[in-house]
């Protein structure tokens, strides 16, 4: 009855609305209301049916989760498609606006000088795109659709209802040509990018099923080979095209195929489609279009390889430990194994149990079809029962191996906190004669093979081109067979494609085999029907016949055995001996480092072994920005007329406030002391900050009233850094914003830097006369140190070359360089700086060590020695103590005295009375980099050290994800007798949900915890650039504990970082309270 009443009321509402509107409007309104009602019923119907049939509410929730996942995936695809379309349509604007950010975001013709821009080709494609669409529509409707209907009875009502390629044509963003490899061919690399509004809809009327595609993204490098070049029209015999690596594909589905956007199915469907593309258009598969008759299409589709690379996976060192127990309380090791890929060739090593320095000693042989272009990809994993943990990766262009012939190198693993892998790579050339076969076999016998299933090294490769067969026998009933061919060499069998319904099949397939000893092996060929049961003929060819043939090749008809009297098969077989040219190893030129031609480096994309020659640079060559930083001195003096926030008895008794100041600079913050019950507080605190003059930010002062529960806001002041640096010095009162009353007295100075040692005495005299409540003594100088390289370092105790790093210390402040692997002459090229309170007393200590363990030498450099150098600069080789007699380090130390304007007028009796420079200018864009911040509690930063966290922030374009690696903390504060139980939590702002919140494991009782944990966030590069990373270092305390929880905070604006290049460094933590 109630339902009937509701429907009656709904109908009356529609009639009433119709009568109140004109006829046309009333009809549209009625349809709109009915449509809204239908959507509501459709949304509520599953809930009603679930209750009616007694289903669990969990099924409804599961359906809702699936829908939300589908919606999120679909929105993400639409966003990526729109972004790609915008880029292609506004390429010039995007290129000019982003050229200073990251070269990786730009088209290939911008990145590489030998890649040419081909706008003329894009104009042709744009003009011809509608006609290409007409051809595709005709092909789908008139050819493909009838074939599908004939293939299946269930699809007899299939039809293409819409075929529209859209308005956006495919673009070629760059072309690179190679003409030096073979005079009878031209190789082109086309960097294609397609982000189109294509729409193709399919309908099967019998099942009321509709599906389709609306929007496709495809990006990749397509190699096009024009060969052979001939002396007749059309000048090119055939066009061969393929992708060297899998292209990136993104598809927006419609209709029933919308289900493919559900998480899980989304990745599966894209992978299946990419596998289908790779099966005929990614190396080693090629698409060949002959343009003239009588070509060996099989040889063009599968030419002889460029060479063979023999990979020796030897060992690894310093891998990350992933097997932790009891939530990290007990630290374990890892069970590492390696996955190697070259194109579609994949190899997996055995895993080594519980070892961070595993040895595999395994060998693999890979076919290299194209150089330059193909790469060796290696990834290390920790074997686990559930999901294997990632340990790092490396990539190497195989063109480097071809050039060097032999590489025996340690390669640093990327995307991992630590680890190196040792590879030996050999380039094996293909010889068309058997003269050196015995020498190759003898050399292979001396190679030790590890593992029960390991294959012995190959002496040759065999390529078999299967062309066609004639007069094969018929099946029973005089029916045509559907022949396939199985070709076997020893234990390896490969199968051709099937040719349906003919006894004169044409296959044009090619197969490649590794041969251990061609004197003892045969080629076995079986021609069979499609059921593999009926043999149509067989053939056996000893490889010894090839050894006696010209150029180790046979190209002829062979009579089939156990077949018809006229049955024969046409085969081309080519044998090539694998030869390691040791003479080329000695004569292969090495690639010099870009430094005056004084050092040489082995060709490697991993860690280069740098060997100084007799001619070494006499001086360093730092970046032009070296020693450009300055010091901002902040004197927080006092405040007046602050608002009273401490009211008692509901406001009947007026109190005062307990003010303190938070100072924020460049995303970092530090806090003044609290002045009890005072509306005119005097702080008299000094802070010094090292900064770089980059555009970006302001200095912000926030005043608060300290309360038991939540602190009350007392006002805010922002000071423009650009105007402050321009004015050099300002002493003035600032009116507090966002409050009724109050002002703040600040003395801010961009301290001038001078190189006049005669000013030192007056500077020190002024500094020691100053007294601040936070006990800070003004710094007298700024020391810049550039560590370039070392030479002649001692070997490790094991006799191997060290992994050298340098640690620089001055009082309690220390920095470390990167670790350079496997070299007695490492090169760092890193810069550091220190605040110095007294150059006549402070001393810089440089310690070199192997992986921060075994000492390799040290240097003690008193700052006073720089006072005797010209312009206070020391730049030369210095001998190391505790090392070899020839051990030296090349560095540059530059001292800049901080000559404050207050020191210049220090003869005045009261140095606090200085001349004001007037109001600061309006806010402007400036960016500040803090290098030293005084610690909370009033002690000098140089005596206590800074609380810091080491992070790595990078964006992986291959994986489309933001990768954040948390390494360690140091100098954390302790607020109880025991060190804190430390962990790190972070969030990607402005989002505030579980997806963007992460935290590390807890490290018990440590002020220097090491985490080495990686966190991935799936998002586009544009999304990542819009985020702010907020990091909080916390003490894991119980709910009832009175211990302090927050140990430090940090906020990083990701738009200011080069995410694609990656940033890994120590960040200072602000000392805010909870």
């Amino acid at each position: 009855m109630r339902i009937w009443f509701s429907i009656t009321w709904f109908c009356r509402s529609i009639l009433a609305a119709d009568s109140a509107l004109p006829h046309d409007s009333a009809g549209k309104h009625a349809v709109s209301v009915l449509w809204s009602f239908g959507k509501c019923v459709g949304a509520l119907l599953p809930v009603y049916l679930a209750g009616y049939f007694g289903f669990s509410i969990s099924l409804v929730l599961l359906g809702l989760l699936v829908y939300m996942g589908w919606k999120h995936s679909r929105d993400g695809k639409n966003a990526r498609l729109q972004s790609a379309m915008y880029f292609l349509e506004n390429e010039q604007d995007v290129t000019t606006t982003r050229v200073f950010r990251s070269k990786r975001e730009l088209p290939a013709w911008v990145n590489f000088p030998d890649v040419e821009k081909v706008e003329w080709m894009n104009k042709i494609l744009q003009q011809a795109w509608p006609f290409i669409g007409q051809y595709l529509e005709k092909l789908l409707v008139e050819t493909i659709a009838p074939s599908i209907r004939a293939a299946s009875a269930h699809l007899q009502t299939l039809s293409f209802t819409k075929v529209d390629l859209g308005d956006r044509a495919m673009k070629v963003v760059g072309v690179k040509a190679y003409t030096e490899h073979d005079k009878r061919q031209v190789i082109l690399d086309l960097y294609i990018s397609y982000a189109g509004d294509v729409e193709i809809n399919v309908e099967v009327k019998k099942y009321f099923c509709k599906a389709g595609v609306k929007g496709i993204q495809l990006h990749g490098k397509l190699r096009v080979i024009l060969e052979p070049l001939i002396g007749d029209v059309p000048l090119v015999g055939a066009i061969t095209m393929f992708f060297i690596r899998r292209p990136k594909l993104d598809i927006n589905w419609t209709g029933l195929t919308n289900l493919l956007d559900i998480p899980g199915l989304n990745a599966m469907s894209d992978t299946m489609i990419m596998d289908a593309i790779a099966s005929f258009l990614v190396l080693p598969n090629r698409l060949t279009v002959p343009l003239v008759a009588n070509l060996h299409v099989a040889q063009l589709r599968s030419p002889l390889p460029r060479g063979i690379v023999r990979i020796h996976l030897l060992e690894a060192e310093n891998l990350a430990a992933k097997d932790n127990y009891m939530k990290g309380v007990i630290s374990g090791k890892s069970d590492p194994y390696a996955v190697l890929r070259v194109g579609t060739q994949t190899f997996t090593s055995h895993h080594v149990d519980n070892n961070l320095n595993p040895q595999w000693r395994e060998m693999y042989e890979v076919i290299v079809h194209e150089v330059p272009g193909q790469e060796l990809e290696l990834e290390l994993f920790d074997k686990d029962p559930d999901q294997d943990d990632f340990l790092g990766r490396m990539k190497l262009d195989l063109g480097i191996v071809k050039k060097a012939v032999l590489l025996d190198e340690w390669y640093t693993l990327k995307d991992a906190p630590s680890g190196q892998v040792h590879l030996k790579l050999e380039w094996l050339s293909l010889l068309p004669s058997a003269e050196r076969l015995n020498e190759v076999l003898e050399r292979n016998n001396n190679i030790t093979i590890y593992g029960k299933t390991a294959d012995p090294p190959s002496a040759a490769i065999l390529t078999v081109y299967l062309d066609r067969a004639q007069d094969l026998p018929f099946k029973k009933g005089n029916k045509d067979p559907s022949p396939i061919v199985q070709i076997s060499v020893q234990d390896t069998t490969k199968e051709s494609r099937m040719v349906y319904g003919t006894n004169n099949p044409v296959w044009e397939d090619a197969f490649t085999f590794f041969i251990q000893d061609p004197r003892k092996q045969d080629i076995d060929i079986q021609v069979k029907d499609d059921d593999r049961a009926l043999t149509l003929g067989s053939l056996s060819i000893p490889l010894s016949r090839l050894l006696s043939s010209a150029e180790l090749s046979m190209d002829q008809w062979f009579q089939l055995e156990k077949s018809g009297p006229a049955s024969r098969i046409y085969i081309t077989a080519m044998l090539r001996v694998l030869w390691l040219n040791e003479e080329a190893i000695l004569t292969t030129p090495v690639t010099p480092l870009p430094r005056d031609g004084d050092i040489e480096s082995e060709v490697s994309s991993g860690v280069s072994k740098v060997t100084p020659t007799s001619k070494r640079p006499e001086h360093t060559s730092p970046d032009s920005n070296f020693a450009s930083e300055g010091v901002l001195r902040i004197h927080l003096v006092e405040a007046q007329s602050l608002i009273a926030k401490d009211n008692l008895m509901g406001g009947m008794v007026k109190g005062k406030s307990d003010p303190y100041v938070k100072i924020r600079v460049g995303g970092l913050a530090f806090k003044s002391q609290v002045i009890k019950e005072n509306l005119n507080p005097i702080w008299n605190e000094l802070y010094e900050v090292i900064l770089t003059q980059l555009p970006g930010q302001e200095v912000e002062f926030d005043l608060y009233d300290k309360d038991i529960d939540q602190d009350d806001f007392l006002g805010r002041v922002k000071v423009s850094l650009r105007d402050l640096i321009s004015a050099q010095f300002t002493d003035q009162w600032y009116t507090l914003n966002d409050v009724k009353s109050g002002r703040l007295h600040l003395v801010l100075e961009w301290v001038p830097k001078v190189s006049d040692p005669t000013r030192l005495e007056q500077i020190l005299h002024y500094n020691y006369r100053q007294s601040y409540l936070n006990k800070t003594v003004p710094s007298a100088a700024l020391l810049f140190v550039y560590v370039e390289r070392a030479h002649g370092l001692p070997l490790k105790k094991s006799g191997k070359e060290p992994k050298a790093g340098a640690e620089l210390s001055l009082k309690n402040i220390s920095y470390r360089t990167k670790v350079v692997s496997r070299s007695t002459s490492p090169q760092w090229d890193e810069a550091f700086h220190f605040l110095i309170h007294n150059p006549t007393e402070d001393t810089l200590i440089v310690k070199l060590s192997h992986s921060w363990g075994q000492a390799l030498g040290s240097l003690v450099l008193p700052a006073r020695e720089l006072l005797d150098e010209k312009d206070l600069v020391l730049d030369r080789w210095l001998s190391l103590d505790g090392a070899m007699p020839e051990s030296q380090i090349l560095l540059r130390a530059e001292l800049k005295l901080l000559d404050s304007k207050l020191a210049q007028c220090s003869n005045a009796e009261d140095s606090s009375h200085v001349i004001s420079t007037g109001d600061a200018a309006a806010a402007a864009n400036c960016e500040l980099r803090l290098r030293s911040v005084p610690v909370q509690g009033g002690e000098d930063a140089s005596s206590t050290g800074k609380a810091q966290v080491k992070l790595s922030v990078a964006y992986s374009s291959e994986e489309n994800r933001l990768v954040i690696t948390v390494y360690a903390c140091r100098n954390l504060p302790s607020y109880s007798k025991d060190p804190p139980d430390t962990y790190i939590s972070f969030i990607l702002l402005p989002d505030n949900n579980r997806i963007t919140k992460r935290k590390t494991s807890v490290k018990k009782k440590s002020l220097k915890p090491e985490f080495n944990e990686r966190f991935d966030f799936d998002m586009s590069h544009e999304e990542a650039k819009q985020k702010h990373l907020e990091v909080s270092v916390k003490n894991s305390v119980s709910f009832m504990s009175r211990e302090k929880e927050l140990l430090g905070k940090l906020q990083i604006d990701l738009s200011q970082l080069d995410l694609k290049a990656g940033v890994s460094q120590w960040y200072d933590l602000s000392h805010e309270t909870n």
Side-chain angles (χ1 to χ4, degrees):
M1 189 67 182
R2 290 181 179 177
I3 296 175
W4 174 254
F5 176 77
S6 299
I7 295 175
T8 304
W9 175 84
F10 179 73
C11 294
R12 286 179 179 176
S13 299
I14 293 176
L15 292 174
D18 289 347
S19 62
L21 295 170
H23 182 71
D24 293 341
S25 300
K28 294 180 180 178
H29 179 70
V31 171
S32 176
V33 173
L34 286 172
W35 176 244
S36 299
F37 178 74
K39 288 196 293 183
C40 292
V41 172
L44 295 175
L45 185 60
V47 180
Y48 171 76
L49 292 177
Y52 181 80
F53 290 106
F55 293 136
S56 172
I57 189 65
S58 60
L59 294 178
V60 179
L61 294 177
L62 179 62
L64 182 62
L65 288 174
V66 171
Y67 171 77
M68 291 173 65
W70 170 85
K71 184 68 175 175
H72 181 268
S73 176
R74 186 60 182 267
D75 291 344
K77 282 190 174 183
N78 286 330
R80 291 193 296 271
L81 180 62
Q82 293 301 322
S83 176
M85 288 180 177
Y86 176 81
F87 179 84
L88 291 178
E89 291 176 356
N90 303 273
E91 180 180 329
Q92 183 175 358
D93 178 62
V94 174
T95 300
T96 55
T97 56
R98 296 184 182 177
V99 70
F100 296 108
R101 294 187 183 179
S102 172
K103 292 179 68 178
R104 298 187 188 182
E105 296 179 4
L106 304 178
W109 61 269
V110 180
N111 279 343
F112 309 107
D114 50 355
V115 175
E116 300 176 11
K117 190 176 181 182
V118 283
E119 277 303 311
W120 60 270
M121 184 181 297
N122 291 325
K123 291 179 180 179
I124 294 174
L125 283 173
Q126 185 66 47
Q127 196 77 2
W129 197 249
F131 303 97
I132 297 174
Q134 293 176 15
Y135 169 74
L136 179 62
E137 181 178 7
K138 184 177 180 182
L139 178 67
L140 291 174
V141 173
E142 298 181 4
T143 305
I144 295 179
S147 300
I148 295 175
R149 287 194 290 265
S152 174
H154 299 287
L155 300 177
Q156 290 182 353
T157 58
L158 178 140
S159 62
F160 288 92
T161 57
K162 185 175 183 179
V163 179
D164 182 10
L165 282 187
D167 300 325
R168 295 178 175 86
M170 182 183 71
K171 277 197 171 185
V172 180
V173 297
V175 173
K176 182 176 181 180
Y178 304 89
T179 57
E180 63 273 13
H181 298 292
D182 189 338
K183 296 300 181 182
R184 296 197 62 197
Q185 68 174 200
V186 175
I187 300 176
L188 302 174
D189 280 344
L190 305 182
Y191 297 85
I192 64 173
S193 184
Y194 177 56
D197 51 351
V198 58
E199 187 172 358
I200 302 176
N201 295 329
V202 182
E203 181 179 5
V204 182
K205 294 181 179 179
K206 180 178 179 181
Y207 300 106
F208 304 100
C209 175
K210 294 182 179 180
V213 172
K214 189 175 183 180
I216 294 178
Q217 277 196 77
L218 181 67
H219 308 278
K221 182 170 72 173
L222 181 70
R223 176 158 290 185
V224 178
I225 301 178
L226 309 178
E227 68 169 337
L229 301 179
I230 56 178
D232 200 355
V233 177
L235 301 180
V236 177
I239 299 176
T240 301
M241 60 189 74
F242 52 88
F243 289 100
I244 294 180
R245 289 178 290 275
R246 290 189 175 210
K248 295 181 179 178
L249 177 69
D250 205 354
I251 300 176
N252 278 1
W253 301 101
T254 61
L256 187 61
T257 47
N258 261 323
L259 296 175
L260 296 179
D261 277 332
I262 295 175
L265 290 179
N266 181 19
M268 188 183 305
S269 63
D270 288 353
T271 301
M272 292 175 63
I273 293 170
M274 280 309 307
D275 288 343
I277 294 175
S279 65
F280 69 93
L281 207 54
V282 176
L283 273 180
N285 305 296
R286 304 168 185 237
L287 177 63
T288 301
V289 181
L291 303 181
V292 297
N294 301 322
L295 280 178
H296 288 287
V297 178
Q299 295 187 25
L300 292 175
R301 187 181 295 122
S302 300
L304 277 174
R306 303 282 185 182
I308 303 298
V309 171
R310 184 173 289 157
I311 304 170
H312 298 268
L313 175 64
L314 301 178
E315 57 187 320
E317 282 188 358
N318 297 330
L319 300 183
K322 293 293 184 177
D323 295 339
N324 296 321
Y325 307 99
M326 297 179 65
K327 296 185 178 181
V329 176
I330 301 176
S331 180
K333 295 188 178 180
S334 292
D335 309 317
Y337 69 93
V339 177
L340 301 92
R341 298 184 185 90
V342 175
T344 57
Q345 304 166 86
T346 303
F347 307 92
T348 303
S349 75
H350 73 280
H351 75 273
V352 180
D353 289 327
N354 202 31
N355 199 324
L356 299 181
N357 302 290
Q359 293 192 0
W360 292 286
R361 306 293 175 184
E362 296 187 8
M363 184 199 72
Y364 312 98
E365 293 173 331
V366 296
I367 300 172
V368 182
H369 299 277
E370 293 293 327
V371 284
Q374 282 193 277
E375 294 179 330
L376 166 63
E377 302 177 42
L378 182 144
E379 292 182 319
L380 294 182
F381 296 92
D382 167 38
K383 185 72 173 176
D384 283 330
D386 45 6
Q387 184 176 1
D388 297 346
D389 297 315
F390 178 76
L391 295 177
R393 65 165 56 91
M394 59 80 63
K395 286 186 179 181
L396 177 69
D397 192 323
L398 294 179
I400 297 175
V401 185
K402 180 182 179 182
K403 182 178 180 180
V405 181
L406 175 64
L407 283 177
D408 189 348
E409 290 283 348
W410 284 88
Y411 296 90
T412 299
L413 296 175
K414 295 181 179 180
D415 302 328
S418 65
Q420 296 86 34
V421 62
H422 186 191
L423 299 177
K424 181 181 177 182
L425 306 168
E426 300 171 332
W427 179 268
L428 305 178
S429 304
L430 309 183
L431 301 183
S433 70
E435 295 177 359
R436 298 184 180 270
L437 178 60
N438 291 332
E439 188 177 346
V440 170
L441 292 171
E442 182 179 353
R443 182 184 296 169
N444 288 351
N445 289 333
N446 296 326
I447 297 178
T448 304
I449 305 299
Y450 294 87
K452 298 178 181 179
T453 60
D455 294 325
S458 301
I461 64 163
L462 170 69
T463 300
V464 178
Y465 296 101
L466 176 64
D467 191 358
R468 67 188 66 204
Q470 289 182 353
D471 298 325
L472 295 179
F474 292 100
K475 298 167 61 176
K476 292 182 179 180
N478 209 27
K479 294 181 180 180
D480 284 329
S482 297
I484 63 167
V485 177
Q486 293 177 340
I487 303 178
S488 301
V489 177
Q490 202 161 333
D491 297 328
T492 304
T493 299
K494 300 186 179 183
E495 191 171 89
S496 73
R497 63 187 180 90
M498 184 185 302
V499 181
Y500 292 95
T502 178
N503 67 337
N504 294 294
V506 177
W507 292 284
E508 293 186 335
D509 280 344
F511 308 93
T512 301
F513 301 87
F514 284 103
I515 307 298
Q516 276 76 48
D517 189 348
R519 301 171 303 181
K520 303 175 181 179
Q521 294 177 267
D522 301 330
I523 308 173
D524 294 320
I525 299 174
Q526 299 284 331
V527 184
K528 296 185 177 182
D529 195 19
D530 56 353
D531 59 1
R532 275 77 169 174
L534 177 62
T535 299
L536 303 176
S538 63
L539 175 66
S540 181
I541 305 174
L543 290 179
S544 56
R545 288 182 58 182
L546 283 170
L547 293 176
S548 58
S549 302
E551 295 187 346
L552 308 184
S553 301
M554 298 176 65
D555 185 8
Q556 65 185 69
W557 287 97
F558 291 89
Q559 189 70 34
L560 288 172
E561 302 172 0
K562 301 177 183 179
S563 186
S567 299
R568 59 179 187 165
I569 188 170
Y570 194 89
I571 286 177
T572 300
M574 305 175 69
L575 190 69
R576 292 293 182 264
V577 176
L578 303 181
W579 173 248
L580 176 63
N581 189 359
E582 293 181 337
E583 296 179 357
I585 298 174
L586 301 177
T587 59
T588 299
V590 295
T591 302
L593 292 176
R595 290 220 185 265
D596 305 329
D598 51 17
I599 56 176
E600 296 179 343
S601 170
E602 295 184 18
V603 181
S604 170
S605 69
V607 178
S608 299
K609 291 185 178 179
V610 183
T611 306
T613 62
S614 57
K615 181 184 178 182
R616 291 185 291 152
E618 296 181 0
H619 303 288
T620 62
S621 51
D623 186 84
S624 59
N625 293 325
F626 174 70
S628 62
E629 293 86 354
V631 174
L632 174 65
R633 193 169 283 170
I634 303 171
H635 183 192
L636 175 63
V637 185
E638 58 184 321
Q640 289 182 357
S641 304
L642 300 181
I643 298 174
K645 290 290 185 177
D646 295 340
N647 297 322
L648 307 176
M649 300 178 64
M652 295 179 63
V653 180
K654 271 202 168 184
K656 295 186 178 181
S657 292
D658 306 321
Y660 67 92
V661 182
K662 287 183 179 179
I663 304 175
R664 291 185 173 87
V665 190
L668 298 174
F670 42 98
K671 175 184 155 185
S672 75
Q673 63 176 330
V674 177
I675 307 297
K676 295 290 186 180
E677 298 183 0
N678 199 326
L679 300 181
N680 300 287
I682 298 176
W683 287 285
N684 188 29
E685 296 182 7
L686 183 72
Y687 304 95
E688 290 181 327
V689 180
I690 300 177
L691 59 89
T692 303
Q693 300 185 52
L694 295 175
Q697 299 179 1
E698 299 172 320
V699 184
E700 183 176 335
F701 301 85
D702 292 331
L703 277 71
Y704 292 92
D705 166 39
K706 183 68 176 178
D707 284 330
I708 298 175
D709 47 4
Q710 183 176 0
D711 297 348
D712 297 314
F713 180 70
L714 296 178
R716 174 180 292 116
V717 169
K718 292 184 179 180
V719 182
S720 166
L721 286 179
R722 183 171 63 185
D723 294 339
L724 175 60
I725 294 173
S726 176
Q728 295 286 307
F729 181 88
T730 178
D731 177 4
Q732 67 183 62
W733 287 89
Y734 294 88
T735 301
L736 295 177
N737 298 319
D738 303 327
V739 289
K740 293 181 179 180
S741 68
R743 61 178 187 160
L744 182 65
H745 185 193
L746 298 172
V747 178
L748 305 173
E749 182 177 14
W750 176 254
V751 187
K753 297 181 296 183
V754 298
S755 301
D756 182 6
T758 61
R759 291 286 306 150
L760 178 60
E761 184 177 353
Q762 188 173 357
I763 292 172
L764 292 175
H765 176 70
Y766 164 77
N767 288 352
Y768 285 125
R769 287 176 54 194
Q770 306 309 305
S771 176
Y772 301 97
L773 293 182
N774 61 346
K775 302 179 182 178
T776 298
V777 177
S779 299
L782 185 58
L783 175 63
F784 299 94
V785 182
Y786 181 76
V787 183
E788 182 166 305
R789 67 182 74 193
H791 170 64
L793 298 183
L795 297 174
K796 293 167 54 179
K797 294 178 181 178
S798 62
K800 295 183 179 180
E801 293 180 320
K803 301 174 184 178
E807 181 175 9
L808 292 81
S809 303
L810 196 150
K811 289 191 174 180
N812 290 346
I813 306 298
S814 64
Y815 300 102
R816 284 180 174 180
T817 67
K818 63 186 177 183
V819 174
V820 178
S821 293
R822 306 296 175 187
S823 178
T824 58
S825 299
Q827 183 166 344
W828 296 286
D829 295 320
E830 296 189 40
F832 308 94
H833 36 64
F834 301 86
L835 284 172
I836 293 184
H837 292 93
N838 190 344
T840 62
E841 298 177 358
D842 293 346
T843 299
L844 174 69
I845 299 175
V846 183
K847 294 181 179 179
L848 277 63
S849 60
H850 163 68
S851 298
W852 315 120
Q854 176 187 337
L856 301 176
S858 63
L859 170 69
V860 177
L861 180 63
R864 63 176 177 271
E865 293 187 6
L866 298 177
L867 299 174
D868 299 328
E869 299 287 338
K870 182 180 179 181
D871 297 327
L872 309 186
V873 176
L874 182 148
D875 188 349
R876 60 173 178 264
W877 288 94
L878 299 171
S879 297
L880 294 173
D881 298 327
M884 305 289 288
E886 66 272 17
S887 299
Q888 292 181 315
I889 186 171
L890 177 62
L891 59 77
R892 178 185 179 95
E894 186 169 338
L895 192 67
K896 294 292 185 182
L897 302 182
L898 299 177
D899 194 6
S900 169
K901 290 185 180 294
L902 298 174
Q904 296 173 16
C905 58
S906 61
N907 291 332
E909 291 184 3
D910 187 359
S911 61
S912 64
H913 297 288
V914 293
I915 301 174
S916 172
T917 59
D919 294 338
N925 293 326
C926 304
E927 180 177 345
L928 196 68
R929 287 186 181 174
L930 287 178
R931 301 299 185 203
S932 178
V933 181
V935 299
Q936 182 179 347
E939 296 185 28
D940 186 4
S942 64
S943 65
T944 60
K946 298 174 291 183
Q948 293 180 318
V949 60
K950 186 175 183 182
L951 303 173
S952 171
V953 185
Y955 186 80
S956 174
S957 300
E958 297 179 358
E959 302 175 1
N960 290 324
R961 61 180 55 177
L962 178 68
V963 179
I964 298 174
T965 305
V966 182
Y967 295 109
C969 296
R970 61 186 179 188
N971 300 329
L972 295 180
S974 179
Y975 299 103
S976 64
K977 61 179 181 179
D978 295 325
D981 297 336
T982 312
Y983 71 95
I984 296 178
S985 66
F986 53 90
I987 183 172
L988 289 174
L989 300 176
D991 300 331
N992 190 359
N993 52 52
R994 292 186 177 180
I995 297 177
T996 59
K997 287 182 179 179
R998 303 290 173 85
K999 69 177 182 178
T1000 67
S1001 57
V1002 178
K1003 302 300 180 183
K1004 295 289 185 179
K1005 296 185 176 8
S1006 176
L1007 295 175
K1008 296 181 179 180
E1010 294 186 2
F1011 300 97
N1012 296 324
E1013 297 184 28
R1014 166 177 164 155
F1015 302 89
D1016 296 349
F1017 298 87
D1018 292 327
M1019 61 179 65
S1020 67
H1021 182 254
E1022 291 302 321
E1023 291 174 325
K1025 297 287 284 185
Q1026 298 172 5
K1027 304 295 184 185
H1028 285 71
L1029 175 63
E1030 182 177 281
V1031 181
S1032 300
V1033 181
K1034 297 182 178 180
N1035 179 15
S1036 179
V1037 297
S1038 63
F1039 177 74
M1040 300 297 294
S1041 175
R1042 300 183 62 184
E1043 289 187 38
K1044 191 173 183 178
E1045 181 183 9
L1046 185 63
L1047 303 177
K1049 292 188 70 174
L1050 164 71
Q1051 189 172 110
I1052 303 172
D1053 184 357
L1054 299 190
S1055 65
Q1056 303 299 319
L1057 303 181
D1058 186 355
L1059 295 179
K1060 291 196 173 181
V1063 178
S1064 180
Q1065 68 182 61
W1066 287 96
Y1067 293 89
D1068 294 345
L1069 293 169
S1070 64
H1071 299 278
E1072 292 184 303
T1073 58
N1074 249 353

